[in-house]
Amino acid sequence: MTDAGAGDQLEPRTVTITRADLVAYAGASGDLNPIHWNERVALEVGLPGVIAHGMFTMSLAARYVGDLAGDPAAVVAFSTRFTRPVVVPDDDAGATVELGAKVTDVADDGTRTVSVTATHEGKGVLGKAVATVRPR
């Protein structure tokens, strides 16, 4: 990413989220809300099914930017809004999230502002996702 200029699209990535990922994240984060692992509860509260934790989806996008930067510590800021849930089916295939990024600005010190997209089934799941990446 250190050679990327303003306007450059960065290499996209597709990630898969499974129910096992959600259970592992729930345990690690302490967010044991059953909408993230129990189909019956998710449907009872009006969701279309079990949904991924928003912060888990955000972490996948932040990891993607860190990988693009070549150093996760280079990502000094990341912000987003959660616009749509990722519904994760109870199967071996899981749900896919397509990640993309574009450098929108390069500061005099080499710090890059990166706009990140995350889509599931063709619809955005993160809005106004922006990372600040310092040079390595």
Side-chain angles (χ1 to χ4, degrees), residues 83-135:
T83 57
R84 184 172 282 108
V86 176
V87 179
V88 180
D90 188 13
D91 60 20
D92 293 333
T96 57
V97 175
E98 295 79 28
L99 300 167
K102 179 180 180 178
V103 175
T104 57
D105 186 55
V106 179
D108 290 341
D109 68 356
T111 299
R112 283 157 171 76
T113 302
V114 179
S115 175
V116 181
T117 59
T119 59
H120 171 61
E121 297 181 340
K123 297 179 181 172
V125 296
L126 297 178
K128 298 184 181 182
V130 176
T132 304
V133 182
R134 66 168 171 73

Side-chain angles (χ1 to χ4, degrees), residues 44-57:
E44 283 175 359
V45 299
L47 294 168
V50 166
I51 62 169
H53 303 75
M55 292 300 288
F56 179 63
T57 305

